[in-house]
Structures are given as C-alpha cells and as structure tokens.
Amino acid sequence: MRRRITSLSLLAFLGLGTAAFAQVTGVVNDADNFPEADVEVSVKGTDKVVYTDQDGKFDIDAKIGDILVVNGKEFSVTSNALGTLKYAAATNSTVDLGEVVVKSIFNAPSKSGVTTVKAKDLEQMNPSVSIDQMLGGKVAGLSSQAMSGAPGATANVTIRGAIGLNGGVKSPLYVVDGTYMTADDVNAINPADIEEVKVLKDASQLAIFGSRGANGVIIMKTKSAKKGESTISYSARIGMNEMMNLPNINLMNANQLLNYQNGLSKLTDANGEALGLGIARSAEEIATLSKNNHKWSDDLYKNGLTTSHFVSVNKNDGDTAHNFSIGYDKNEGAVEYYNGMERITASLNITSKAKEWLRYGINLNGSYTTIDAPRDRVNAQSPFYNTLLNRPYTTFYKMDANGDYLLDADGNRIYNSGGNTMGYAVADEMEKTDAQTRYLRIYGTGFVEADLWKNVSARTTLGATYNRIQYENYLKPSAALSQLLGDGGSKTDRSTDRFDYNWRNEVSYENTFGGKHHLRVTAASEYINQSLYSMTMYGSTFPNDNLSTQGLAVNIGQDSFTNRWRVTKFGYLGAASYDFANKYFVDAYIRRDGTSLAGLNSKYGTFWGAALGWNIAKEGFLRDSKAVNNLTLKASYGEVGDDSAIARYANLTLLQLDQTYNGQATAFPDGNLSNLNTTWETNRKLNIGLDYGFFGNRLTGALAYFNDVRSNFIFNQYLPVEAGGFTTYINAGKLATNGFEFDMNYDVIRSKNFDLSVYGNITTLKYKVNKLADSQDMLLVDSSYENLAHVAGGKPYQFYLVRYAGIDSATGKDLYLDKDGNVTDTYDGGDAVATNKTPLPTLMGGFGLNAKLYGFDINADFTYSAGGYMYNNTYQYLTDPVSTNNKVVEAANYWTAEGDNAQFSRPTVNGTEYSTKYLESSDYIAFRSLSLGYNFTNLVKGTFIKNLRMFAQVQNLALWTNYHGNPIAGTGTSESSTTTSAGYVSNSFTAFSYPLVRSYSVGFNVSF
C-alpha cells in the first residue's frame, strides 16, 4: 500500500558534475520516524520511478536541478550533498488528500493477503481487452480464461481455484473506487483509468466484504493527481487484427478431401456391400473440382482495425484534487460483416478538504458500449463451424456451368449453400442479420469523512451501478433462413435495467502511542440492494429489410414477457488492526450478514477472520543484514459465507400463473418447494505465507500455502414422485482445495542506462471431494454440457466417459474398456466411468521480462496452464468419417489392412463415439504480449511537453500446446453453455467459438 508520508531524510551521493546524472540515495520515514517501505520516488518530468525498500531506502538516477517527487511532495536536488530534508511533523488534525482514499476499512489496509498490480503492468495490453483478462498471469493464485476471442469478451476469473459442486463460476467481487461491480460489468472499465489493482485472497481480508467477497475481491483504484501536480495526458494507438490459426489443426485442401471421400466410398462391409460413406467420383471430376480449392476462412475472416484514444486532465492543489478522463476504443474483430466492439468511457473524480476535519469526494464513471458478434453455436449458423467444416472444393458464391456468378432478382450474388452437409450458407445470415447489444453503464461513489475528535473518524460511502442492456436481433425477410422458415423476417428485442447500490457507514479509532504501537479499530455497517427489470419481445413478418421496429411486425409472439427481481443484504462488522514497530502484526475481523436469498429460518450468518504477521528482517539479528531486506511471515484463518448459488426466491413456494386450461387462467406450484433452512455455503480458509526481499530488494516476492474447505453447497434435491415430484434446495457436501503460490521478481541489472528485470509466478492446485449429498459415492453433475461427475474421496468434475483403448490392428476396430476394465470392441455408453481427469488445471501462472536501455523499453508477458483436460468436440467433428464435411489431413490415416499402425480405426457408419479418445490435455504456454517503446524525455526536456513515449505492440503472438485447437476457450459455445447455465464448468470443452485474435498496434503517450 502506498501511503502519504510525513517526514523524509535524504542524502545525495557525490555526482559527476552539475549536468551529470548520479545515483541519489535516501531514506523515507513515516510520521513516527520509522522507515517507510514501498513509497514512490520519481524524478519530475521523467519516467524514472523507484520504490523504497523495507528499510525506507531508495536510489534513483538524478542530477543537480532535478526535482524529486516523493508521493506528491517535491524536493530540489540543489547539490551533490544535500544533507537532510525534513517534513514538518503532521498533526492529528491534518489529513493529506493522499490519505483520504485509504481511510476506509474496505480499501484493504491490512498487510495480509493482498497482491498489488500497478498500471504499468497493464499498459502493455490493448485497452479494448477487458481488465480481467489483463490480470491473467500477473497474480499468483488468479486464473483468468477468456470466454472467447471476440471483441468485448470478458474472462472467467477465479481466485485460488474457487469452485462449487453445482457448476457456474465462483467469480470474485470487483470494487472500483468503492463501487461494487459484477464480472459482467468489467468491460465497462477503461484500463487506462486504473492506477492499481489489489487482489485479496485471505479470509482475514474477505470477511470485511461479507458474502459478496466469499470468492475473492479485486479492488481497482482509478488514477488521481499527486499533490501539486497538474497534468494533461493523451494516448492513442491504431492497429490491425488477424485470426490466429488453431494449433495442430491442418485442414484438407480440395484435392485431399475429394480423394478422402472417394476412398471412403470404396469401403465395404463383411458381405462386400458398400458402407455408403464418402462420395464416389471419377478422376476427371476430382481434377475439375480441385480447381475450386480455397480456404473458407479467407471468405469469412478479415483483418479488422483497432483504435484507441484516451485523454485525462489531473490537478491537485493540496486541498482539492480533480481528475477527468474520456476514452474511445474500437475493435472490429476479425470476422466479416461484423463491427466488433465500440466503447466510449468517461470519468470524473473530485476529492476535497472542506475543513481541516472534513473531507468529501465523488467518483462518477460512465461507459457506452456496442457489440455485435457472430453466432456461437454448434451448427452451420456459426462462421467458425463453416471455416473448419465447409468443403474447400465448393465455391463461396453459386456459379453456373460457365463459371459465372448466379444473381438474385436484385442483381446480387447468391451465396452457395452447398458448402456443408446442412446445406446452409452462413454468409447469407451474417450479411442479412442486424444484431447488436448496447450497454449503458453508470457507476460511482460518493463519500463524506469527518474527524469527530482526536484519533476518531467517521465515514459514510454510497456506491451505485446502473446497467442498461439492449439487445436487437433482426433476421431480414430476404434472408434465406427467413424464406426457409416462411416467417417473413423475425425480430427479437430484449432489454434489462439493473440498479445496484451499497451504503456503508464506518467509525474508526486510530492511534500511534509509545512511539511503536499502532492500533486501529473499526465498526461498520453495510446495506446492499440489487434489482433488475427485463423485457423480451418477439415479432415476425416485417415489411422489408430496412424497417424492423416491433410496431411494424404483423405478428407479436405470445411468448413475449417481462420479468423483475430484487435482492437485499445487510451486514455489520467489527475490525481491529495492531502492529508493533512495523514488526509484529495482528488483524481480526468479524461480520454478521443477512441475505434475502436464504431460507426464512437461516437468513443470517456470522463470519470472521484473523491474521498474524512477523517481519523477521526487523529483528536485531537481521537488522544490519545487507542481504535480507524483508522477511515477513504471515498466517491467517477465517470463515466466509457465500449465497451466490442460492436461486432467487427459492425460499418461497411459488405458483405459476402464466398457463391456461380450456382458455381459463390457472395456478399451480412451479415445481420447487421452499426449504426454510437453506443457508449459506461456508468457506473456511487457511493461509500461511512468507514475503521476502533480498539483496537490496533486487529479489522480491512471496510464497504461500493455502487450504480452503467449502461446505454446505446448494443442491437441487428431487422429492419422491409420491410427494408430487417436486424439488427443493438443500445444503450438503464438502470440498477441499489446497495449493502453493510462489511469486518472484528479480532485478537482474540496475544501472544508469540499462535495467533488466524478470518476473514469474506459479500456483499449484489440488481438489478433493470430502463429502457429497446423502453420503453418495458419486454424483453426476446436472445439466453440464459434457458428462461430468463428482467422486467422494476423489476429484470434482471428473469426465464421465467410456475409456478408449486404441485400435485392434487385426480388425481395425476401435477398442474400449468396459466398466470392469476388460477390453472390448463393442461401444456401450453404459461402460462410462469417472476418469479422474477434470477441466480444472493443477498448475498455472505467468512469467515475463521488462528492460530499459538508453530510452528504449521492452516488455514481454507469458501465461501458462497445465493439468486440466477438455473434451474436443472440434477435433471429433473433423475426424468423423460419416459426415462429408471437411476433415483434418490425418483423418485419411485410417486402418485398411491387418497389421496397419494407423491413427484412426476403419471407418464405420456409426462414426466416432463419445469416449476418452477425444479427451485431451489442455496444457499450454501463451506468448500474450510483446511491446517495444522509446521515451523521448530528454529530447522534450525544457519544452511544454513533460513526457513523450512511442511504442509498438503485438498481442497473442504465439500459443504452444498439444491440444487440437484452442485450449484457452472458457466457453465452448456461448449459445449452449454460459456462466449462468446449470452445471457450467469453465474450459470443459471446445466446439466452434470465436478463436484467439492476434493484434498489431502502434501508438504514443504524451503528457503536458
């Protein structure tokens, strides 16, 4: 945590001359004259920034005449031996603006369980990438898997393997300047606005946020001006996108597919009868059709543009800080006919000191985003299905025998529907569908803080988010699908209005006494209200392609509807934090929460956390050590409650009123019986860690062991048919997740003109189901896209499949294992077993390097994941001999004669079977980002320009994996399985979703 400091001692080494640079060193102390760690020290007007080590020491390149800025306060370098510079001691009644935003207990003041990511660590990514994706590989214990490569897509983010036993994603809580936001709202945040991101993992911190923080908390602080600073900044970039090739997918060309189909047509059964596979053609026909060879990806993909502009104005005169920004981002993606994402953002942040004892602030942010994206489903309506499966010997447009294009009545070329077995021309739907989703998001906070009397302050904070989503999908009357359905064109309109707010009130006592004892005690309350209204309307039969409002539809669907819900929560907490001489630390929290989601008898729960810390480096036996600068041992334990899996209104027995019988309204139970005792899921969290800094803090980092035990999961229990066949929600089950985290940053070289540092983090994860509902040994996951099972005493979410055992070289048949492990050549779905393989990775992390050389800078970032498995529907489609769609080249390597060592079995009319044959390891290493820049600071020195940097950047350079396709697909098909679907498990399968996109961009940053 960066804190405003109140005293400073500075000693400059002798320089090389009045115009030469030298290493200026110093020590930063806090108000009680103790060394202050992690304080920012910079040379004004340059990009030179360092941070103090654990002893408050720093060294920085500077010369006589330069201005050192220490957390907003300025000091002139007037000689090569400055002596000592001191701040006037702060009084209890004086609070600097820099401290205002960290007074709240909800801003993670504890030193335990916090990982901080700075703005400079996020700047290397394209700003159209959501900030949750940017965090991938940056934080130990945090997994970020993009749901797809589409512009505007967010990520499935989990912290320390947070999962439940009923599917879904256990997303962390996002807090932006005190405003609570959901994972769906993250795309509203402009990454250029963010100054730092704190990731909270330990129960001692999460207990502060109650049930909403049960799965981790990500706190984002927007940029603010330092005291005495007045800056105008502008950044811009322009770039190009290209679709990345799917790893290990080598599609057949026209000639290869034609010969493959012809070969299949010659296969016979035991009686010599043709199997009916493939398509028989003469050599002449094959030669003629081969001339049509083309890649469907060339027709359906494009090199889209990406642009970004960001302007910010910041000023801090000591009493009032103003921050204003406006940004524009556009990413066209890489699919023809679609515009991708366009976003406008704006923010206004005002913090002021009305009196010496009274401070207030307001932070207001808004964004307007439009997204249009192609269909993401497992059929020919998906362009990604078509680019892989369409036959390369069929033309994009229909042509006559002379090779001329066929035209429709309006003179337009007609798309060829013969590219795939479904006989569907996806380009027609892509061109003749107007689909767009519009997001208007307004979010912000306001606070008032007062010093009631000496060492006692009070603060009230109101945070709110408003999210309006409007979705339109108009399939024009002229579209081939409209004509096939005979509906004269169809339109879907869907809108939602969601308004959430939280109101927090805090009273804190904080004091330092005896010179070494620091104590803070806080009491707080919090009220949360969430509400949503939605409308869906369907219409059909429209006048023409251009008129699409529902008022012009001849038919309005009877299944049009509106919906409304509300959820409320209330909690109050107590917190205490104590440290002695910045050496020994104790933090404790207790919170009691109530939720309207739980059963009427179990609405409230009490949760708590505690943490201990010991900075061993400050002990006498290490105080004078040059090698050891920080060695802080930490331990924490706590319990947090989670109500995210409880369905809204499941605590009430409801009646359905939307049906009729003989034309009369009816009322009957909706199928769920309320359980008055349904309550919170509980997570007991243990963390033991060590923060370290060695060799003048050249080597810094942390390591930790964590053990999370979750219990009382929410399950849908089926009641006996004799009782009416109803269901009810119960609490049951227990799951343990444990692992290790290791985080490291090493400054390999520190010199005047050359800096080189490397970083890396590793997280290991291990899962074990300790108990299932009703003491079952195994439980199949309800409604999951793939067959998954929980096994008591084993792993959760194991793939439940028939085990593949290879190919019988004598007969060419596929071999399988039955339930008892015996080899058989007969496939039986009843032989499926839990495979001990899950989608959940057991190892993940990131690594990279940062270097500066004579004004140049280079940054490279990598991420990796290992230990997980995905079911590969994509590869199964591309090797199935029954379909006459395109295939991968190796599909032709099938068994033909006894003794063959072929990759695939002898083709049959049954095609490929659902087995472990297509269950593949999803291990990968991704080269996420590479940037090269040059800083013109010296060139513009003495002008009105403070800083100028130009850069070039490439995103998604390379992906190394043995998986056939893209293993970084959080959602295999968003139209069939989403994060809100029952049984959803991230990265459990691939189908035909938006691939990864590589982007190239150039740009500049300038400040005045």
Side-chain angles (χ1 to χ4, degrees):
M1 178 177 64
R2 311 273 186 246
R3 291 200 297 167
R4 180 69 59 184
I5 51 95
T6 52
S7 67
L8 172 75
S9 63
L10 180 64
L11 177 64
F13 279 175
L14 293 176
L16 298 178
T18 57
F21 286 92
Q23 291 297 112
V24 175
T25 65
V27 177
V28 175
N29 290 345
D30 62 19
D32 299 303
N33 211 31
F34 288 102
E36 181 74 4
D38 207 26
V39 174
E40 182 180 281
V41 181
S42 64
V43 179
K44 187 175 181 179
T46 76
D47 64 343
K48 297 176 182 178
V49 179
V50 299
Y51 296 95
T52 59
D53 64 20
Q54 200 65 25
D55 294 320
K57 298 177 181 179
F58 70 89
D59 60 81
I60 191 169
D61 282 341
K63 66 180 185 299
I64 294 174
D66 280 346
I67 302 296
L68 295 187
V69 182
V70 183
N71 259 8
K73 294 191 176 181
E74 298 181 355
F75 295 88
S76 296
V77 180
T78 57
S79 71
N80 291 327
L82 295 179
T84 301
L85 300 179
K86 294 183 178 180
Y87 280 106
T91 65
N92 289 324
S93 63
T94 301
V95 180
D96 224 329
L97 280 175
E99 289 183 336
V100 169
V101 293
V102 298
K103 296 290 280 186
S104 172
I105 193 67
F106 293 89
N107 280 289
S110 170
K111 299 183 185 301
S112 174
V114 181
T115 300
T116 301
V117 179
K118 287 295 186 182
K120 61 183 178 63
D121 300 317
L122 305 175
E123 291 173 350
Q124 314 311 322
M125 304 291 286
N126 192 316
S128 64
V129 174
S130 62
I131 197 167
D132 54 354
Q133 290 191 53
M134 291 183 177
L135 294 175
K138 300 288 188 181
V139 179
L142 184 147
S143 171
S144 175
Q145 293 281 11
M147 286 192 279
S148 78
T154 54
N156 293 334
V157 175
T158 57
I159 294 176
R160 289 183 169 174
I163 60 170
L165 290 180
N166 39 21
V169 175
K170 293 288 188 180
S171 300
L173 169 66
Y174 295 88
V175 183
V176 182
D177 289 333
T179 303
Y180 292 174
M181 302 183 73
T182 68
D184 293 333
D185 295 328
V186 172
N187 206 20
I189 304 167
N190 192 325
D193 273 322
I194 300 302
E195 181 175 291
E196 68 175 16
V197 179
K198 292 180 180 178
V199 180
L200 279 56
K201 312 176 215 176
D202 294 1
S204 61
Q205 284 286 351
L206 303 182
I208 301 173
F209 294 89
S211 62
R212 296 202 66 180
N215 302 304
V217 177
I218 297 177
I219 299 177
M220 302 182 194
K221 180 182 179 298
T222 57
K223 292 176 180 177
S224 58
K226 302 290 191 296
K227 184 176 179 180
E229 183 180 56
S230 178
T231 303
I232 301 174
S233 300
Y234 171 65
S235 61
R237 75 166 68 201
I238 186 169
M240 181 196 72
N241 300 321
E242 67 176 11
M243 199 73 79
M244 290 184 67
N245 293 325
L246 292 176
N248 308 308
I249 297 291
N250 184 16
L251 296 175
M252 291 182 177
N253 61 31
N255 186 262
Q256 290 170 325
L257 179 60
L258 289 164
N259 282 293
Y260 170 76
Q261 293 174 342
N262 196 48
L264 291 178
S265 71
K266 295 179 170 57
L267 296 178
T268 60
D269 60 19
N271 299 319
E273 299 289 334
L275 293 177
L277 298 175
I279 302 174
R281 292 186 177 90
S282 67
E284 292 76 12
E285 290 174 317
I286 291 175
T288 300
L289 287 173
S290 293
K291 295 177 182 178
N292 295 331
N293 181 60
H294 70 110
K295 294 181 178 180
W296 281 85
S297 58
D298 292 340
D299 301 309
L300 298 176
Y301 292 163
K302 67 179 180 181
N303 292 330
L305 293 177
T306 176
T307 57
S308 177
H309 302 273
F310 183 78
V311 179
S312 65
V313 181
N314 305 314
K315 185 176 182 180
N316 186 336
D317 61 11
D319 287 328
T320 302
H322 300 269
N323 306 94
F324 171 77
S325 73
I326 187 168
Y328 172 81
D329 297 287
K330 182 174 177 60
N331 187 337
E332 294 182 352
V335 179
E336 288 283 6
Y337 306 105
Y338 293 93
N339 296 320
M341 183 199 80
E342 190 171 16
R343 180 182 65 195
I344 300 172
T345 62
S347 69
L348 176 64
N349 189 342
I350 300 174
T351 306
S352 185
K353 183 164 61 176
K355 301 285 186 181
E356 287 299 319
W357 54 273
L358 181 66
R359 297 160 299 280
Y360 67 91
I362 184 170
N363 182 287
L364 184 63
N365 304 270
S367 74
Y368 182 73
T369 306
T370 60
I371 294 177
D372 70 338
R375 302 293 296 269
D376 181 6
R377 62 189 322 184
V378 190
N379 68 19
Q381 289 181 278
S382 163
F384 316 113
Y385 175 104
N386 284 259
T387 56
L388 292 173
L389 296 179
N390 279 13
R391 305 164 186 135
Y393 56 77
T394 56
T395 57
F396 187 62
Y397 296 103
K398 285 186 176 181
M399 307 183 78
D400 61 21
N402 298 320
D404 296 323
Y405 293 112
L406 295 178
L407 306 178
D408 62 17
D410 296 321
N412 300 312
R413 295 176 182 177
I414 302 173
Y415 294 107
N416 191 351
S417 61
N420 51 66
T421 56
M422 294 187 68
Y424 189 73
V426 69
D428 182 86
E429 181 177 342
M430 293 167 67
E431 181 189 4
K432 298 177 181 179
T433 299
D434 291 336
Q436 187 182 75
T437 306
R438 299 181 295 276
Y439 301 86
L440 173 64
R441 296 180 173 105
I442 301 173
Y443 59 98
T445 55
F447 76 88
V448 177
E449 183 177 73
D451 298 325
L452 301 182
W453 54 84
K454 184 178 180 180
N455 302 323
V456 178
S457 63
R459 179 183 175 111
T460 184
T461 305
L462 179 67
T465 62
Y466 172 75
N467 190 353
R468 179 171 178 82
I469 304 175
Q470 295 176 303
Y471 169 76
E472 289 188 82
N473 187 302
Y474 179 49
L475 182 64
K476 298 177 181 180
S478 65
L481 182 58
S482 293
Q483 296 172 14
L484 179 66
L485 298 174
D487 61 7
S490 59
K491 176 81 179 299
T492 299
D493 281 277
R494 186 179 298 120
S495 70
T496 62
D497 281 278
R498 178 163 177 173
F499 179 65
D500 297 355
Y501 69 90
N502 61 292
W503 184 25
R504 302 194 301 261
N505 294 284
E506 309 166 57
V507 177
S508 297
Y509 169 82
E510 186 170 11
N511 194 15
T512 299
F513 50 91
K516 295 184 178 181
H517 303 272
H518 179 258
L519 175 67
R520 174 178 177 146
V521 180
T522 300
S525 67
E526 181 174 36
Y527 175 75
I528 297 172
N529 187 296
Q530 303 166 310
S531 60
L532 178 141
Y533 175 81
S534 65
M535 179 279 293
T536 300
M537 181 177 290
Y538 304 102
S540 62
T541 312
F542 288 83
N544 54 46
D545 284 359
N546 301 315
L547 299 176
S548 62
T549 57
Q550 293 286 5
L552 297 174
V554 174
N555 302 305
I556 298 296
Q558 294 301 307
D559 49 355
S560 301
F561 65 95
T562 63
N563 192 22
R564 186 191 304 275
W565 58 257
R566 183 185 301 273
V567 173
T568 59
K569 305 179 184 185
F570 178 74
Y572 45 94
L573 68 94
S577 178
Y578 168 80
D579 73 81
F580 174 77
N582 206 29
K583 181 164 55 176
Y584 308 111
F585 309 93
V586 179
D587 297 300
Y589 307 90
I590 186 169
R591 175 161 176 154
R592 184 160 176 80
D593 263 322
T595 174
S596 65
L597 296 172
L600 300 182
N601 292 341
S602 307
K603 285 184 173 294
Y604 285 87
T606 302
F607 310 101
W608 59 277
L612 300 173
W614 174 28
N615 190 344
I616 306 171
K618 289 189 175 293
E619 296 293 351
F621 57 87
L622 285 177
R623 181 180 294 275
D624 297 326
S625 172
K626 300 296 184 182
V628 181
N629 308 105
N630 178 31
L631 200 63
T632 302
L633 182 65
K634 303 181 298 184
S636 68
Y637 178 81
E639 296 181 2
V640 290
D642 184 3
D643 63 350
S644 63
I646 307 177
R648 289 183 293 273
Y649 304 114
N651 52 4
L652 300 174
T653 300
L654 304 175
L655 295 176
Q656 284 189 344
L657 304 174
D658 59 347
Q659 302 296 320
T660 60
Y661 181 74
N662 286 336
Q664 301 296 316
T666 63
F668 56 91
D670 71 347
N672 177 72
L673 297 182
S674 66
N675 182 348
L676 299 179
N677 298 312
T678 302
T679 189
W680 314 76
E681 294 181 1
T682 302
N683 187 5
R684 296 174 174 85
K685 302 171 72 69
L686 170 69
N687 180 85
I688 300 173
L690 181 71
D691 292 350
Y692 61 86
F694 301 117
F695 315 118
N697 277 325
R698 293 175 71 107
L699 176 62
T700 59
L703 56 91
Y705 167 79
F706 61 90
N707 184 46
D708 296 353
V709 179
R710 294 174 178 263
S711 58
N712 290 331
F713 293 102
I714 308 299
F715 286 99
N716 198 10
Q717 185 181 62
Y718 293 89
L719 300 177
V721 176
E722 296 81 2
F726 296 104
T727 62
T728 190
Y729 288 96
I730 63 170
N731 294 98
K734 182 180 289 188
L735 171 70
T737 305
N738 59 66
F740 292 90
E741 295 174 353
F742 176 72
D743 198 347
M744 179 274 295
N745 188 89
Y746 180 52
D747 294 336
V748 182
I749 299 173
R750 286 181 182 173
S751 67
K752 175 182 174 182
N753 294 311
F754 183 30
D755 293 335
L756 173 64
S757 64
V758 295
Y759 81 91
N761 62 75
I762 299 172
T763 301
T764 68
L765 291 163
K766 183 178 180 182
Y767 303 88
K768 182 180 179 182
V769 178
N770 292 331
K771 186 179 180 181
L772 291 171
D774 300 323
S775 300
Q776 299 176 81
D777 294 328
M778 187 181 70
L779 176 67
L780 293 177
V781 179
D782 189 30
S783 302
S784 60
Y785 191 87
E786 304 296 345
N787 291 345
L788 301 170
H790 303 310
V791 178
K795 299 175 183 178
Y797 296 108
Q798 296 185 31
F799 285 97
Y800 190 75
L801 299 169
V802 175
R803 291 165 291 178
Y804 183 70
I807 300 171
D808 187 334
S809 61
T811 65
K813 292 183 176 181
D814 282 318
L815 300 176
Y816 306 93
L817 299 180
D818 63 19
K819 273 193 176 293
D820 298 321
N822 302 310
V823 178
T824 177
D825 60 10
T826 301
Y827 177 85
D828 183 351
D831 288 330
V833 298
T835 60
N836 200 39
K837 296 178 179 180
T838 82
L840 309 173
T842 58
L843 183 72
M844 62 182 184
F847 59 93
L849 65 84
N850 302 283
K852 293 183 179 181
L853 177 65
Y854 289 99
F856 287 96
D857 59 79
I858 186 170
N859 303 273
D861 290 307
F862 299 79
T863 61
Y864 63 89
S865 177
Y869 289 83
M870 301 176 77
Y871 192 85
N872 199 332
N873 293 280
T874 313
Y875 198 58
Q876 185 171 7
Y877 271 75
L878 289 169
T879 57
D880 186 356
V882 174
S883 162
T884 57
N885 288 332
N886 201 9
K887 301 290 181 289
V888 288
V889 171
E890 61 268 26
N893 183 14
Y894 57 80
W895 187 96
T896 57
E898 184 174 354
D900 277 357
N901 184 23
Q903 189 169 346
F904 294 93
S905 61
R906 188 177 191 271
T908 71
V909 293
N910 294 324
T912 57
E913 302 285 6
Y914 189 58
S915 72
T916 58
K917 179 175 183 177
Y918 294 98
L919 184 62
E920 298 186 17
S921 168
S922 57
D923 297 357
Y924 70 85
I925 298 175
F927 194 168
R928 293 194 69 203
S929 172
L930 175 66
S931 67
L932 174 66
Y934 184 77
N935 199 306
F936 295 86
T937 301
N938 292 331
L939 182 64
V940 299
K941 190 174 181 64
T943 70
F944 67 97
I945 299 176
K946 290 184 178 180
N947 190 36
L948 174 63
R949 177 179 178 267
M950 301 188 69
F951 62 88
Q953 187 254 356
V954 186
Q955 190 172 301
N956 290 331
L957 281 83
L959 177 64
W960 296 281
T961 181
N962 290 324
Y963 192 82
H964 292 90
N966 175 23
I968 315 178
T971 301
T973 166
S974 63
E975 292 192 33
S976 302
S977 178
T978 68
T979 55
T980 57
S981 302
Y984 175 88
V985 182
S986 181
N987 290 87
S988 58
F989 71 98
T990 55
F992 300 99
S993 61
Y994 209 120
L996 291 177
V997 174
R998 180 181 294 118
S999 65
Y1000 307 86
S1001 60
V1002 294
F1004 66 90
N1005 306 319
V1006 62
S1007 60
F1008 308 96

